Amino acid sequence: MLNLIFTALIIFSAVAYLYFKTKQFRTTLQAERQYHRSSASAALGAFIMLFGVNQLFLFSGMITYLVAAAFILLGLYVLVYNVKARTHYAGFLEEERRLNEK
């Protein structure tokens, strides 16, 4: 049951990555592009982290634990860094939209 939950979360994070990456390419505003890039990277970090956690439930062994720990730590770092970047760029969205009104 827990494996199905992690699988659903992994799929959701992959879909979120594709969604935000598409939004990044479709926008013309620079701050909005950075915002969507950070959102996509945060989703990718969640994907990596959840993949590592899922491996802990599927396999056992010392090598699996080491690889899973590496995935979890890397994914957590990418997730936290990009959530902070996303909140940073969120402050510029309204101002950039206001300045680019025509």
Side-chain angles (χ1 to χ4, degrees):
M1 182 64 178
L2 202 55
N3 185 29
L4 291 174
I5 293 171
F6 280 118
T7 303
L9 289 173
I10 288 169
I11 292 170
F12 177 75
S13 64
V15 169
Y17 172 77
L18 292 173
Y19 173 76
F20 286 119
K21 206 59 162 167
T22 304
K23 297 266 302 180
Q24 172 193 338
F25 287 121
R26 295 183 60 106
T27 187
T28 57
L29 304 177
Q30 188 63 29
E32 190 173 0
R33 181 175 291 136
Q34 293 290 343
Y35 177 80
H36 291 307
R37 181 178 294 146
S38 299
S39 298
S41 296
L44 186 62
F47 175 84
I48 295 170
M49 183 185 68
L50 290 168
F51 184 78
V53 172
N54 193 34
Q55 293 306 305
L56 291 175
F57 291 104
L58 293 178
F59 306 107
S60 62
M62 184 54 88
I63 294 176
T64 302
Y65 296 142
L66 292 174
V67 171
F71 275 118
I72 292 168
L73 292 174
L74 177 66
L76 191 61
Y77 172 75
V78 171
L79 178 66
V80 169
Y81 177 81
N82 285 295
V83 166
K84 287 181 181 180
R86 183 177 184 262
T87 56
H88 171 74
Y89 291 119
F92 298 112
L93 291 177
E94 187 62 38
E95 181 182 355
E96 185 179 50
R97 285 184 187 134
R98 185 179 45 82
L99 290 174
N100 287 309
E101 285 181 350
K102 294 179 181 176

XYZ file of all heavy atoms in Angstrom:
828
model
N 0.824 -1.198 0.000
C 0.000 0.000 0.000
C 0.870 1.265 0.000
O 0.596 2.209 -0.730
C -0.922 -0.039 1.218
C -1.842 1.120 1.298
S -2.961 1.096 -0.096
C -3.945 2.469 0.249
N 1.893 1.259 0.839
C 2.780 2.413 0.925
C 3.544 2.614 -0.379
O 3.797 3.757 -0.787
C 3.751 2.232 2.100
C 4.397 3.477 2.674
C 3.352 4.490 3.091
C 5.277 3.119 3.840
N 3.868 1.499 -1.032
C 4.554 1.566 -2.312
C 3.678 2.259 -3.355
O 4.167 3.043 -4.168
C 4.946 0.162 -2.771
C 5.764 0.183 -4.030
O 6.476 1.143 -4.285
N 5.658 -0.867 -4.807
N 2.377 1.993 -3.330
C 1.456 2.639 -4.272
C 1.350 4.138 -4.023
O 1.252 4.925 -4.964
C 0.074 1.991 -4.193
C -0.019 0.557 -4.720
C -1.403 -0.006 -4.451
C 0.311 0.513 -6.189
N 1.385 4.526 -2.771
C 1.321 5.949 -2.441
C 2.570 6.663 -2.955
O 2.472 7.723 -3.580
C 1.154 6.137 -0.911
C -0.213 5.623 -0.470
C 1.343 7.595 -0.520
C -0.399 5.560 1.019
N 3.741 6.065 -2.720
C 4.974 6.683 -3.215
C 5.020 6.697 -4.735
O 5.503 7.657 -5.336
C 6.204 5.977 -2.647
C 6.530 6.398 -1.246
C 6.505 5.494 -0.211
C 6.860 7.712 -0.966
C 6.797 5.880 1.079
C 7.151 8.118 0.318
C 7.122 7.200 1.339
N 4.508 5.653 -5.366
C 4.465 5.623 -6.826
C 3.568 6.729 -7.361
O 3.918 7.407 -8.337
C 3.980 4.253 -7.318
O 4.843 3.240 -6.793
C 3.990 4.176 -8.827
N 2.425 6.938 -6.728
C 1.519 8.016 -7.150
C 2.177 9.381 -6.956
O 2.058 10.262 -7.823
C 0.213 7.935 -6.369
N 2.892 9.568 -5.852
C 3.576 10.840 -5.610
C 4.718 11.054 -6.604
O 4.957 12.188 -7.051
C 4.110 10.890 -4.179
C 3.063 11.031 -3.084
C 3.699 10.888 -1.704
C 2.337 12.355 -3.203
N 5.415 9.977 -6.971
C 6.479 10.081 -7.967
C 5.899 10.492 -9.311
O 6.434 11.383 -9.992
C 7.250 8.745 -8.067
C 8.106 8.539 -6.819
C 8.114 8.696 -9.316
C 8.699 7.158 -6.686
N 4.795 9.881 -9.703
C 4.154 10.236 -10.972
C 3.646 11.674 -10.930
O 3.799 12.428 -11.896
C 3.020 9.238 -11.290
C 3.620 7.871 -11.602
C 2.150 9.734 -12.446
C 2.611 6.759 -11.702
N 3.066 12.074 -9.807
C 2.567 13.444 -9.671
C 3.707 14.457 -9.793
O 3.558 15.493 -10.453
C 1.845 13.623 -8.332
C 1.373 15.021 -8.097
C 0.263 15.516 -8.762
C 2.056 15.851 -7.227
C -0.162 16.819 -8.553
C 1.637 17.154 -7.014
C 0.521 17.636 -7.673
N 4.841 14.172 -9.181
C 5.973 15.112 -9.264
C 6.536 15.169 -10.682
O 6.963 16.227 -11.138
C 7.052 14.763 -8.251
O 7.614 13.504 -8.534
N 6.527 14.050 -11.390
C 6.990 14.059 -12.777
C 6.052 14.871 -13.661
O 6.498 15.640 -14.526
C 7.113 12.628 -13.304
N 4.755 14.741 -13.444
C 3.774 15.524 -14.204
C 3.904 17.010 -13.867
O 3.830 17.867 -14.752
C 2.341 15.003 -13.945
C 1.290 15.938 -14.504
C 2.185 13.606 -14.525
N 4.116 17.326 -12.592
C 4.310 18.726 -12.187
C 5.560 19.302 -12.840
O 5.561 20.455 -13.287
C 4.399 18.833 -10.667
N 6.621 18.506 -12.920
C 7.844 18.957 -13.593
C 7.558 19.302 -15.048
O 7.952 20.362 -15.527
C 8.930 17.883 -13.503
C 10.134 18.202 -14.344
C 11.067 19.140 -13.916
C 10.335 17.595 -15.579
C 12.167 19.459 -14.690
C 11.433 17.901 -16.353
C 12.340 18.833 -15.910
O 13.423 19.145 -16.686
N 6.872 18.417 -15.755
C 6.565 18.670 -17.165
C 5.651 19.883 -17.331
O 5.812 20.671 -18.269
C 5.924 17.435 -17.791
C 6.846 16.226 -17.935
C 6.052 15.013 -18.410
C 7.985 16.534 -18.871
N 4.688 20.048 -16.426
C 3.772 21.181 -16.485
C 4.526 22.503 -16.337
O 4.362 23.422 -17.151
C 2.709 21.041 -15.395
C 1.823 22.250 -15.264
C 0.815 22.504 -16.180
C 2.008 23.160 -14.215
C 0.008 23.624 -16.060
C 1.204 24.274 -14.092
C 0.206 24.502 -15.021
O -0.583 25.614 -14.900
N 5.355 22.603 -15.301
C 6.069 23.857 -15.065
C 7.141 24.108 -16.120
O 7.423 25.258 -16.459
C 6.681 23.879 -13.663
C 5.672 24.074 -12.580
C 5.473 23.124 -11.600
C 4.892 25.221 -12.536
C 4.540 23.298 -10.601
C 3.953 25.419 -11.544
C 3.777 24.446 -10.576
N 7.742 23.050 -16.647
C 8.734 23.231 -17.704
C 8.054 23.763 -18.964
O 8.606 24.626 -19.656
C 9.420 21.888 -17.978
C 10.785 22.019 -18.528
C 11.670 22.793 -17.574
C 13.116 22.578 -17.877
N 13.970 23.529 -17.179
N 6.857 23.279 -19.265
C 6.102 23.789 -20.405
C 5.722 25.243 -20.188
O 5.839 26.064 -21.104
C 4.834 22.939 -20.631
O 5.229 21.572 -20.787
C 4.076 23.391 -21.847
N 5.282 25.574 -18.972
C 4.939 26.968 -18.664
C 6.168 27.870 -18.785
O 6.051 29.011 -19.223
C 4.361 27.079 -17.247
C 3.081 26.350 -17.019
C 1.853 27.130 -17.191
C 1.736 28.321 -16.322
N 0.500 29.042 -16.543
N 7.331 27.357 -18.423
C 8.559 28.134 -18.516
C 8.862 28.497 -19.966
O 9.239 29.633 -20.251
C 9.724 27.327 -17.943
C 11.081 27.957 -18.162
C 12.209 26.999 -17.857
O 12.038 26.045 -17.121
N 13.356 27.257 -18.426
N 8.696 27.569 -20.868
C 9.007 27.837 -22.265
C 7.959 28.713 -22.946
O 8.260 29.378 -23.927
C 9.155 26.532 -23.050
C 10.426 25.812 -22.733
C 10.401 24.526 -22.237
C 11.662 26.418 -22.920
C 11.564 23.858 -21.938
C 12.834 25.758 -22.622
C 12.781 24.470 -22.136
N 6.744 28.744 -22.420
C 5.677 29.485 -23.070
C 5.590 30.946 -22.639
O 4.916 31.734 -23.282
C 4.340 28.797 -22.827
C 4.263 27.425 -23.484
C 2.915 26.806 -23.281
N 1.892 27.647 -23.850
C 1.244 27.388 -24.979
N 1.533 26.322 -25.660
N 0.310 28.197 -25.410
N 6.241 31.310 -21.555
C 6.153 32.685 -21.069
C 7.250 33.560 -21.686
O 8.304 33.071 -22.059
C 6.229 32.746 -19.533
O 5.981 34.076 -19.110
C 7.574 32.287 -19.025
N 6.952 34.834 -21.771
C 7.924 35.772 -22.319
C 8.553 36.651 -21.239
O 9.566 37.297 -21.495
C 7.255 36.693 -23.365
O 6.167 37.374 -22.745
C 6.756 35.869 -24.539
N 7.966 36.680 -20.059
C 8.468 37.516 -18.970
C 9.588 36.806 -18.222
O 9.486 35.617 -17.897
C 7.336 37.872 -18.013
C 6.121 38.566 -18.647
C 5.046 38.788 -17.614
C 6.545 39.868 -19.284
N 10.663 37.523 -17.937
C 11.860 36.911 -17.367
C 11.631 36.405 -15.943
O 12.035 35.294 -15.614
C 13.012 37.916 -17.392
C 14.336 37.315 -17.006
C 14.798 36.231 -17.965
O 14.476 36.236 -19.140
N 15.539 35.282 -17.451
N 11.019 37.199 -15.072
C 10.802 36.763 -13.688
C 9.835 35.588 -13.640
O 10.016 34.660 -12.842
C 10.279 37.912 -12.837
N 8.842 35.618 -14.503
C 7.898 34.499 -14.546
C 8.589 33.235 -15.050
O 8.324 32.130 -14.573
C 6.711 34.854 -15.442
C 5.575 33.876 -15.359
C 4.351 34.346 -16.120
O 4.374 35.430 -16.716
O 3.354 33.599 -16.115
N 9.503 33.397 -15.992
C 10.267 32.249 -16.491
C 11.121 31.655 -15.363
O 11.185 30.437 -15.195
C 11.142 32.671 -17.660
C 11.942 31.525 -18.250
C 12.699 31.929 -19.479
N 11.737 32.189 -20.551
C 11.791 33.226 -21.363
N 12.752 34.116 -21.250
N 10.902 33.383 -22.312
N 11.766 32.515 -14.585
C 12.576 32.033 -13.468
C 11.706 31.357 -12.400
O 12.112 30.366 -11.798
C 13.357 33.191 -12.833
C 14.407 33.785 -13.723
C 15.572 32.849 -13.951
O 15.766 31.884 -13.226
N 16.348 33.128 -14.979
N 10.527 31.900 -12.179
C 9.586 31.324 -11.221
C 9.189 29.912 -11.638
O 9.207 28.985 -10.834
C 8.361 32.239 -11.120
C 7.276 31.734 -10.224
C 7.360 31.892 -8.840
C 6.149 31.104 -10.740
C 6.363 31.443 -8.012
C 5.145 30.648 -9.917
C 5.250 30.819 -8.553
O 4.256 30.357 -7.730
N 8.838 29.747 -12.914
C 8.439 28.427 -13.406
C 9.633 27.470 -13.463
O 9.472 26.272 -13.237
C 7.776 28.537 -14.775
C 6.441 29.208 -14.726
N 5.424 28.803 -13.886
C 5.945 30.254 -15.417
C 4.371 29.571 -14.060
N 4.669 30.465 -14.989
N 10.816 27.985 -13.745
C 12.024 27.141 -13.731
C 12.285 26.621 -12.322
O 12.615 25.440 -12.135
C 13.224 27.926 -14.225
C 14.502 27.106 -14.258
C 15.669 27.903 -14.791
N 15.430 28.208 -16.197
C 15.806 29.320 -16.802
N 16.434 30.256 -16.117
N 15.566 29.510 -18.077
N 12.117 27.480 -11.327
C 12.311 27.054 -9.943
C 11.249 26.057 -9.513
O 11.545 25.084 -8.804
C 12.284 28.260 -9.006
O 13.318 29.152 -9.316
N 10.022 26.265 -9.960
C 8.950 25.323 -9.641
C 9.216 23.956 -10.266
O 9.006 22.917 -9.636
C 7.608 25.859 -10.133
O 7.291 27.077 -9.498
N 9.667 23.954 -11.521
C 9.978 22.700 -12.196
C 11.133 21.986 -11.499
O 11.090 20.765 -11.307
C 10.311 22.962 -13.664
N 12.135 22.725 -11.108
C 13.279 22.107 -10.431
C 12.903 21.587 -9.049
O 13.428 20.558 -8.603
C 14.425 23.106 -10.324
O 14.891 23.445 -11.606
N 11.996 22.270 -8.373
C 11.518 21.777 -7.077
C 10.757 20.466 -7.262
O 10.903 19.534 -6.459
C 10.634 22.823 -6.402
N 9.960 20.381 -8.308
C 9.242 19.132 -8.593
C 10.224 18.013 -8.930
O 10.030 16.859 -8.539
C 8.247 19.333 -9.732
N 11.290 18.347 -9.640
C 12.318 17.356 -9.957
C 13.033 16.889 -8.685
O 13.323 15.700 -8.532
C 13.312 17.935 -10.948
C 14.371 16.985 -11.486
C 13.726 15.844 -12.251
C 15.337 17.740 -12.374
N 13.291 17.810 -7.767
C 13.885 17.442 -6.480
C 12.981 16.519 -5.684
O 13.443 15.549 -5.071
N 11.678 16.794 -5.711
C 10.726 15.917 -5.031
C 10.721 14.535 -5.679
O 10.651 13.511 -4.989
C 9.329 16.534 -5.073
N 10.821 14.499 -7.003
C 10.875 13.230 -7.720
C 12.085 12.411 -7.287
O 11.963 11.215 -6.982
C 10.920 13.496 -9.229
C 11.088 12.262 -10.070
C 9.992 11.493 -10.409
C 12.343 11.875 -10.512
C 10.144 10.358 -11.170
C 12.502 10.744 -11.282
C 11.392 9.971 -11.616
N 13.238 13.039 -7.234
C 14.471 12.329 -6.846
C 14.369 11.830 -5.403
O 14.711 10.682 -5.096
C 15.695 13.244 -7.027
C 15.899 13.565 -8.499
C 16.944 12.614 -6.437
C 16.925 14.651 -8.753
N 13.881 12.687 -4.516
C 13.765 12.312 -3.116
C 12.770 11.161 -2.927
O 13.054 10.183 -2.229
C 13.331 13.510 -2.276
C 13.256 13.225 -0.794
S 12.610 14.602 0.142
C 10.926 14.630 -0.420
N 11.609 11.262 -3.554
C 10.602 10.214 -3.420
C 11.065 8.901 -4.042
O 10.747 7.824 -3.544
C 9.287 10.668 -4.067
C 8.549 11.769 -3.324
C 7.443 12.343 -4.189
C 8.004 11.257 -2.012
N 11.830 8.983 -5.111
C 12.388 7.777 -5.714
C 13.322 7.080 -4.734
O 13.290 5.851 -4.597
C 13.124 8.124 -7.009
C 13.643 6.938 -7.747
C 12.797 6.165 -8.514
C 14.979 6.594 -7.662
C 13.270 5.055 -9.190
C 15.466 5.493 -8.328
C 14.600 4.721 -9.100
N 14.148 7.852 -4.041
C 15.040 7.272 -3.042
C 14.290 6.637 -1.889
O 14.634 5.541 -1.427
N 13.242 7.308 -1.420
C 12.447 6.752 -0.323
C 11.740 5.476 -0.773
O 11.674 4.488 -0.033
C 11.429 7.800 0.186
C 10.461 7.181 1.183
C 12.146 8.973 0.816
N 11.246 5.471 -1.997
C 10.555 4.295 -2.520
C 11.509 3.098 -2.612
O 11.101 1.963 -2.373
C 9.946 4.610 -3.882
C 8.964 3.563 -4.323
O 8.261 2.978 -3.504
N 8.898 3.329 -5.612
N 12.752 3.348 -2.948
C 13.724 2.257 -3.043
C 13.961 1.595 -1.693
O 14.244 0.395 -1.623
C 15.050 2.767 -3.615
C 14.962 3.206 -5.050
C 14.390 2.145 -5.958
O 14.892 1.039 -6.007
N 13.336 2.482 -6.665
N 13.846 2.362 -0.619
C 14.006 1.784 0.716
C 12.940 0.739 1.010
O 13.185 -0.235 1.731
C 13.968 2.879 1.779
C 15.146 3.842 1.807
C 14.899 4.924 2.835
C 16.431 3.105 2.094
N 11.744 0.923 0.467
C 10.656 -0.017 0.716
C 10.682 -1.206 -0.240
O 10.121 -2.250 0.071
C 9.302 0.691 0.609
C 9.066 1.658 1.728
C 9.184 3.014 1.515
C 8.748 1.211 2.997
C 8.982 3.917 2.545
C 8.541 2.096 4.026
C 8.661 3.455 3.809
N 11.324 -1.049 -1.376
C 11.331 -2.126 -2.364
C 12.469 -3.121 -2.161
O 12.286 -4.327 -2.342
C 11.414 -1.542 -3.777
C 10.207 -0.756 -4.256
C 10.464 -0.205 -5.649
C 8.975 -1.641 -4.261
N 13.652 -2.628 -1.824
C 14.836 -3.479 -1.762
C 15.511 -3.329 -0.411
O 15.353 -2.322 0.273
C 15.831 -3.105 -2.871
C 15.226 -3.114 -4.242
C 14.974 -1.927 -4.902
C 14.901 -4.307 -4.857
C 14.419 -1.915 -6.166
C 14.341 -4.322 -6.121
C 14.097 -3.124 -6.779
N 16.300 -4.336 -0.055
C 17.090 -4.241 1.164
C 18.526 -4.606 0.831
O 18.792 -5.357 -0.098
C 16.531 -5.177 2.246
O 16.620 -6.514 1.802
N 19.429 -4.048 1.582
C 20.850 -4.276 1.356
C 21.613 -2.994 1.592
O 21.059 -1.892 1.478
N 22.867 -3.135 1.904
C 23.681 -1.973 2.245
C 23.840 -1.023 1.060
O 23.757 0.194 1.220
C 25.051 -2.424 2.749
C 25.912 -1.276 3.209
S 25.109 -0.248 4.444
C 25.572 -1.093 5.915
N 24.053 -1.559 -0.130
C 24.224 -0.703 -1.305
C 22.935 0.061 -1.599
O 22.967 1.245 -1.937
C 24.683 -1.540 -2.513
C 26.077 -2.082 -2.247
C 24.658 -0.721 -3.789
C 26.615 -3.001 -3.301
N 21.803 -0.601 -1.448
C 20.520 0.073 -1.661
C 20.349 1.216 -0.683
O 19.884 2.298 -1.055
C 19.358 -0.927 -1.501
O 19.530 -1.987 -2.430
C 18.023 -0.252 -1.725
N 20.719 1.001 0.576
C 20.586 2.055 1.577
C 21.494 3.244 1.263
O 21.103 4.403 1.448
C 20.880 1.517 2.975
C 19.891 0.466 3.447
C 20.302 -0.615 4.190
C 18.546 0.569 3.127
C 19.400 -1.577 4.623
C 17.628 -0.387 3.548
C 18.064 -1.458 4.294
O 17.174 -2.397 4.700
N 22.701 2.969 0.780
C 23.614 4.058 0.432
C 23.125 4.847 -0.775
O 23.146 6.083 -0.773
C 25.014 3.503 0.167
C 25.753 2.928 1.365
C 27.062 2.289 0.924
C 25.999 3.998 2.400
N 22.667 4.143 -1.789
C 22.165 4.821 -2.991
C 20.889 5.592 -2.670
O 20.708 6.735 -3.105
C 21.939 3.800 -4.132
C 21.225 4.437 -5.304
C 23.266 3.207 -4.570
N 20.002 4.976 -1.888
C 18.762 5.656 -1.499
C 19.064 6.900 -0.667
O 18.420 7.942 -0.851
C 17.851 4.700 -0.729
N 20.045 6.804 0.229
C 20.413 7.973 1.039
C 20.949 9.091 0.152
O 20.638 10.270 0.376
C 21.440 7.579 2.084
N 21.736 8.728 -0.851
C 22.253 9.748 -1.772
C 21.111 10.413 -2.529
O 21.079 11.641 -2.680
C 23.244 9.118 -2.746
N 20.152 9.613 -3.021
C 18.996 10.179 -3.725
C 18.169 11.072 -2.806
O 17.723 12.144 -3.212
C 18.107 9.065 -4.295
C 18.540 8.562 -5.630
C 18.925 7.247 -5.797
C 18.540 9.389 -6.738
C 19.316 6.772 -7.022
C 18.929 8.931 -7.973
C 19.322 7.609 -8.119
N 17.951 10.636 -1.594
C 17.133 11.413 -0.659
C 17.805 12.739 -0.327
O 17.165 13.794 -0.351
C 16.843 10.588 0.612
C 15.916 9.416 0.272
C 16.223 11.458 1.698
C 15.797 8.393 1.385
N 19.101 12.700 -0.038
C 19.810 13.934 0.308
C 19.895 14.887 -0.872
O 19.670 16.098 -0.727
C 21.202 13.612 0.841
C 21.249 12.919 2.194
C 22.672 12.532 2.554
C 20.646 13.802 3.263
N 20.206 14.371 -2.054
C 20.268 15.215 -3.237
C 18.899 15.813 -3.564
O 18.775 17.004 -3.839
C 20.791 14.419 -4.436
C 20.839 15.175 -5.762
C 21.858 16.310 -5.683
C 21.154 14.229 -6.895
N 17.866 14.978 -3.524
C 16.515 15.459 -3.809
C 16.047 16.494 -2.808
O 15.428 17.494 -3.167
N 16.360 16.277 -1.549
C 15.978 17.239 -0.515
C 16.691 18.567 -0.707
O 16.083 19.634 -0.579
C 16.277 16.657 0.871
C 15.706 17.396 2.060
C 14.194 17.423 1.999
C 16.170 16.738 3.343
N 17.977 18.517 -1.055
C 18.726 19.750 -1.305
C 18.135 20.512 -2.492
O 17.908 21.727 -2.409
C 20.199 19.433 -1.570
C 20.980 20.637 -2.024
C 21.349 21.629 -1.122
C 21.310 20.809 -3.357
C 22.046 22.748 -1.532
C 22.003 21.921 -3.780
C 22.371 22.889 -2.872
O 23.043 24.004 -3.297
N 17.876 19.818 -3.586
C 17.317 20.462 -4.785
C 15.935 21.034 -4.477
O 15.604 22.150 -4.890
C 17.271 19.461 -5.960
C 16.503 20.017 -7.140
C 18.678 19.084 -6.379
N 15.134 20.289 -3.741
C 13.790 20.743 -3.387
C 13.829 22.009 -2.539
O 13.168 23.002 -2.855
C 13.040 19.631 -2.654
C 11.635 19.938 -2.164
C 10.699 20.164 -3.346
C 11.120 18.813 -1.297
N 14.624 22.006 -1.484
C 14.686 23.163 -0.576
C 15.252 24.385 -1.292
O 14.722 25.495 -1.174
C 15.504 22.812 0.687
C 15.812 24.051 1.508
C 14.764 21.790 1.517
N 16.331 24.201 -2.046
C 16.949 25.320 -2.756
C 15.965 25.970 -3.728
O 15.868 27.200 -3.792
C 18.193 24.830 -3.505
C 18.856 25.911 -4.319
C 19.717 26.820 -3.710
C 18.603 26.038 -5.672
C 20.322 27.828 -4.442
C 19.201 27.042 -6.418
C 20.058 27.928 -5.803
O 20.650 28.919 -6.526
N 15.226 25.166 -4.460
C 14.332 25.716 -5.469
C 13.030 26.254 -4.890
O 12.419 27.138 -5.487
C 14.075 24.679 -6.564
C 15.265 24.554 -7.467
O 15.619 25.489 -8.162
N 15.916 23.411 -7.432
N 12.608 25.756 -3.751
C 11.452 26.367 -3.083
C 11.823 27.771 -2.612
O 11.034 28.721 -2.741
C 10.947 25.482 -1.925
C 9.988 26.239 -1.026
C 10.271 24.240 -2.473
N 13.041 27.926 -2.104
C 13.506 29.264 -1.699
C 13.630 30.186 -2.913
O 13.250 31.356 -2.853
C 14.848 29.165 -0.984
C 14.748 28.584 0.402
C 16.106 28.539 1.067
C 16.024 27.928 2.440
N 17.335 27.880 3.101
N 14.148 29.664 -4.014
C 14.265 30.469 -5.236
C 12.888 30.839 -5.762
O 12.677 31.960 -6.240
C 15.047 29.702 -6.296
N 11.949 29.921 -5.658
C 10.578 30.181 -6.126
C 9.938 31.315 -5.322
O 9.304 32.203 -5.898
C 9.758 28.899 -6.000
C 8.357 28.997 -6.519
C 7.685 27.629 -6.393
N 6.363 27.651 -6.960
C 5.254 27.806 -6.249
N 5.322 27.940 -4.944
N 4.090 27.819 -6.840
N 10.110 31.301 -4.014
C 9.543 32.385 -3.206
C 10.249 33.709 -3.486
O 9.629 34.771 -3.412
C 9.608 32.056 -1.705
O 10.967 31.784 -1.342
C 8.746 30.860 -1.368
N 11.533 33.643 -3.813
C 12.268 34.863 -4.170
C 11.685 35.485 -5.439
O 11.426 36.691 -5.492
C 13.746 34.542 -4.355
C 14.542 35.664 -4.935
N 14.888 36.786 -4.203
C 15.045 35.865 -6.171
C 15.568 37.618 -4.965
N 15.689 37.077 -6.168
N 11.489 34.674 -6.468
C 10.981 35.189 -7.743
C 9.501 35.538 -7.683
O 9.028 36.344 -8.481
C 11.241 34.197 -8.868
C 12.699 34.074 -9.206
C 13.367 32.866 -9.068
C 13.434 35.171 -9.650
C 14.708 32.757 -9.363
C 14.775 35.073 -9.946
C 15.407 33.863 -9.797
O 16.731 33.763 -10.091
N 8.780 34.949 -6.748
C 7.350 35.252 -6.630
C 7.125 36.723 -6.290
O 6.114 37.309 -6.693
C 6.706 34.370 -5.565
N 8.067 37.321 -5.587
C 7.942 38.736 -5.230
C 8.046 39.669 -6.425
O 7.578 40.805 -6.372
N 8.642 39.214 -7.517
C 8.821 40.057 -8.694
C 7.737 39.876 -9.751
O 7.698 40.629 -10.722
C 10.180 39.764 -9.348
C 11.340 40.053 -8.462
C 12.127 39.030 -7.970
C 11.651 41.355 -8.094
C 13.199 39.280 -7.153
C 12.715 41.625 -7.278
C 13.503 40.581 -6.798
N 6.865 38.890 -9.585
C 5.891 38.576 -10.635
C 4.911 39.717 -10.893
O 4.688 40.113 -12.036
C 5.118 37.302 -10.286
C 5.909 36.006 -10.332
C 5.040 34.847 -9.894
C 6.464 35.769 -11.715
N 4.323 40.223 -9.829
C 3.313 41.270 -9.989
C 3.921 42.540 -10.574
O 3.335 43.178 -11.453
C 2.638 41.556 -8.647
C 1.475 42.498 -8.738
C 0.347 41.962 -9.611
O 0.081 40.752 -9.564
O -0.252 42.761 -10.355
N 5.086 42.913 -10.100
C 5.741 44.122 -10.609
C 6.101 43.965 -12.095
O 5.910 44.892 -12.879
C 7.008 44.409 -9.805
C 7.738 45.643 -10.255
C 9.009 45.882 -9.463
O 9.284 45.142 -8.501
O 9.730 46.821 -9.820
N 6.598 42.803 -12.464
C 6.961 42.588 -13.860
C 5.724 42.594 -14.765
O 5.760 43.156 -15.859
C 7.713 41.268 -14.014
C 8.217 41.044 -15.424
C 8.976 39.756 -15.572
O 8.454 38.710 -15.146
O 10.080 39.804 -16.115
N 4.647 42.019 -14.311
C 3.406 42.043 -15.102
C 2.891 43.467 -15.252
O 2.410 43.868 -16.314
C 2.353 41.166 -14.433
C 2.604 39.702 -14.604
C 1.497 38.864 -14.008
N 1.865 37.450 -14.042
C 1.715 36.623 -13.024
N 1.190 37.053 -11.894
N 2.088 35.370 -13.135
N 2.978 44.248 -14.176
C 2.521 45.637 -14.222
C 3.377 46.464 -15.172
O 2.869 47.281 -15.946
C 2.544 46.237 -12.811
C 1.978 47.635 -12.720
C 1.999 48.167 -11.297
N 3.242 47.931 -10.572
C 4.344 48.699 -10.689
N 4.343 49.723 -11.512
N 5.421 48.433 -9.992
N 4.676 46.239 -15.154
C 5.574 47.007 -16.034
C 5.437 46.627 -17.495
O 5.716 47.449 -18.380
C 7.031 46.811 -15.592
C 7.420 47.457 -14.270
C 8.827 47.053 -13.879
C 7.293 48.964 -14.356
N 5.023 45.407 -17.777
C 4.932 44.948 -19.153
C 3.533 45.015 -19.734
O 3.289 44.455 -20.800
C 5.454 43.509 -19.260
C 6.947 43.468 -19.127
O 7.659 44.206 -19.808
N 7.443 42.633 -18.226
N 2.619 45.675 -19.045
C 1.280 45.866 -19.591
C 1.346 46.800 -20.792
O 2.090 47.772 -20.815
C 0.336 46.463 -18.550
C -0.125 45.494 -17.499
C -1.065 46.152 -16.526
O -1.215 47.392 -16.556
O -1.658 45.425 -15.728
N 0.539 46.495 -21.780
C 0.548 47.333 -22.976
C -0.835 47.777 -23.340
O -1.816 47.257 -23.060
C 1.161 46.570 -24.152
C 2.610 46.285 -23.917
C 3.193 45.518 -25.058
C 4.654 45.234 -24.758
N 5.289 44.430 -25.725
